[in-house]
Amino acid sequence: CNSGSGDPPIYVNVDLSNGMMINTWVDSLQAFLPGLLVLNGDIEEAICCHALYYAIWKRYEALPERYNWRLKAPDVRFYPLRPEFIESTYLLYRATKNPFYLNVGREILDSLDRHAKTECGYASLHNVLDKTQEDRMESFFLSETCKYLYLLFDFENPLHKSSGMLSVFTTEGHLLPVNLKKPWESDFDFCYAGTTGNKTTSKSKRQCEFIPLERRFSLPLRRDYLRQVHEMVGGVT
């Protein structure tokens, strides 16, 4: 998206047997993909992929469970406070150190306080259009959503310090130490450097796309692309 032209790229749902597109929606669980791309070293692709989910969040101040990108409207309107978009935002900030992702995190926090906060917790949103609430708070909101938001802003957390030990998150946000040689400069500061180069592990040829220093304080992607992807989901920049 930073070097090409045409429609914004979307990873669509396809039939496993033939690769044909089977529907025209993305769901909030798919927002984990930018974070996965970061962990694989595909930083530029992660930046572009993240922009789609950010545009949807910007429009509704939440992620509908399913968003139909062809109709520019939610197919399933509830948001149970899922963590995947926040997790990807956190990992992208650790990889790029671009304050753009801190601003995204602040918008997420403000939206949750404005629409989901209750007297005794945070409620799932029954409808992202009218922000009606449900009488429940999923356990993953505390174990994952809040954890990734906390870590996004906790710059001095021991997790972010080089310790000679690689740590990984489980699917449910639990930290596990891995007794392997670290493939990055430090535990969660991977892929950020002022010079270009490749990092490799003993098991795979991991291409790590370093983010140049001059891009640290500018938008992580082109302004015209950011505008285009917001228009694609029917929102405003």
Side-chain angles (χ1 to χ4, degrees), residues 41 108 110 126 129-130 132 138 146 161 168 171 219:
I108 293 169
D110 289 344
H126 180 70
L129 300 182
D130 60 20
T132 50
E138 302 287 354
C146 291
K161 302 297 183 180
V168 296
T171 303
L219 284 174

Short mmCIF file of all heavy atoms in Angstrom, two decimals, residues 41 108 110 126 129-130 132 138 146 161 168 171 219:
data_model
loop_
_atom_site.label_atom_id
_atom_site.label_comp_id
_atom_site.label_asym_id
_atom_site.label_seq_id
_atom_site.Cartn_x
_atom_site.Cartn_y
_atom_site.Cartn_z
N GLY A 41 8.20 -10.77 10.75
CA GLY A 41 9.12 -9.80 10.17
C GLY A 41 8.57 -9.03 8.99
O GLY A 41 9.28 -8.21 8.39
N ILE A 108 -8.57 3.74 21.28
CA ILE A 108 -9.23 2.53 21.76
C ILE A 108 -9.65 2.70 23.21
O ILE A 108 -10.78 2.38 23.60
CB ILE A 108 -8.29 1.32 21.60
CG1 ILE A 108 -8.04 1.01 20.12
CG2 ILE A 108 -8.88 0.09 22.31
CD1 ILE A 108 -6.93 0.00 19.88
N ASP A 110 -10.19 5.49 24.89
CA ASP A 110 -11.27 6.48 24.99
C ASP A 110 -12.60 5.88 24.56
O ASP A 110 -13.64 6.14 25.17
CB ASP A 110 -10.93 7.70 24.13
CG ASP A 110 -9.81 8.54 24.73
OD1 ASP A 110 -9.49 8.35 25.92
OD2 ASP A 110 -9.24 9.38 23.99
N HIS A 126 -23.69 -4.68 22.43
CA HIS A 126 -24.68 -5.46 21.69
C HIS A 126 -24.79 -4.98 20.25
O HIS A 126 -25.01 -5.79 19.33
CB HIS A 126 -26.05 -5.37 22.38
CG HIS A 126 -27.12 -6.15 21.68
ND1 HIS A 126 -27.15 -7.52 21.66
CD2 HIS A 126 -28.20 -5.72 20.96
CE1 HIS A 126 -28.20 -7.92 20.96
NE2 HIS A 126 -28.85 -6.86 20.53
N LEU A 129 -23.64 0.18 16.36
CA LEU A 129 -24.26 1.37 15.78
C LEU A 129 -24.86 2.27 16.85
O LEU A 129 -24.63 3.48 16.86
CB LEU A 129 -25.34 0.97 14.76
CG LEU A 129 -24.86 0.13 13.57
CD1 LEU A 129 -26.03 -0.14 12.61
CD2 LEU A 129 -23.73 0.82 12.83
N ASP A 130 -25.63 1.69 17.76
CA ASP A 130 -26.26 2.51 18.80
C ASP A 130 -25.57 2.37 20.16
O ASP A 130 -25.97 3.00 21.13
CB ASP A 130 -27.75 2.19 18.93
CG ASP A 130 -28.02 0.73 19.29
OD1 ASP A 130 -27.11 0.05 19.82
OD2 ASP A 130 -29.16 0.27 19.05
N THR A 132 -25.58 0.06 22.37
CA THR A 132 -26.27 -0.61 23.45
C THR A 132 -25.37 -1.71 24.02
O THR A 132 -24.56 -2.30 23.31
CB THR A 132 -27.60 -1.23 22.96
OG1 THR A 132 -27.36 -2.00 21.78
CG2 THR A 132 -28.60 -0.13 22.65
N GLU A 138 -16.63 -10.63 28.92
CA GLU A 138 -15.89 -11.86 28.67
C GLU A 138 -14.57 -11.86 29.44
O GLU A 138 -13.95 -10.82 29.65
CB GLU A 138 -15.60 -12.01 27.17
CG GLU A 138 -16.83 -12.02 26.27
CD GLU A 138 -17.61 -13.32 26.37
OE1 GLU A 138 -17.14 -14.26 27.05
OE2 GLU A 138 -18.69 -13.41 25.76
N CYS A 146 -7.09 -5.88 28.14
CA CYS A 146 -6.48 -4.95 29.09
C CYS A 146 -4.97 -5.13 29.17
O CYS A 146 -4.22 -4.15 29.32
CB CYS A 146 -7.10 -5.13 30.48
SG CYS A 146 -8.82 -4.60 30.60
N LYS A 161 12.49 -5.30 28.19
CA LYS A 161 13.93 -5.19 28.39
C LYS A 161 14.62 -6.44 27.89
O LYS A 161 14.11 -7.55 28.03
CB LYS A 161 14.25 -4.99 29.89
CG LYS A 161 13.59 -3.76 30.51
CD LYS A 161 14.07 -2.47 29.87
CE LYS A 161 13.44 -1.27 30.55
NZ LYS A 161 13.88 0.00 29.94
N VAL A 168 7.04 -15.56 24.57
CA VAL A 168 5.94 -15.51 23.61
C VAL A 168 4.62 -15.53 24.37
O VAL A 168 4.54 -16.02 25.49
CB VAL A 168 5.99 -16.70 22.63
CG1 VAL A 168 7.25 -16.65 21.77
CG2 VAL A 168 5.89 -18.04 23.36
N THR A 171 -2.22 -18.09 22.97
CA THR A 171 -3.43 -17.55 22.36
C THR A 171 -4.25 -16.75 23.36
O THR A 171 -4.89 -15.76 23.00
CB THR A 171 -4.29 -18.70 21.80
OG1 THR A 171 -3.52 -19.45 20.86
CG2 THR A 171 -5.52 -18.18 21.09
N LEU A 219 3.67 9.45 9.57
CA LEU A 219 2.66 8.40 9.45
C LEU A 219 3.32 7.12 8.95
O LEU A 219 4.19 7.18 8.07
CB LEU A 219 1.56 8.83 8.48
CG LEU A 219 0.53 9.85 8.98
CD1 LEU A 219 -0.38 10.26 7.83
CD2 LEU A 219 -0.28 9.27 10.12
#
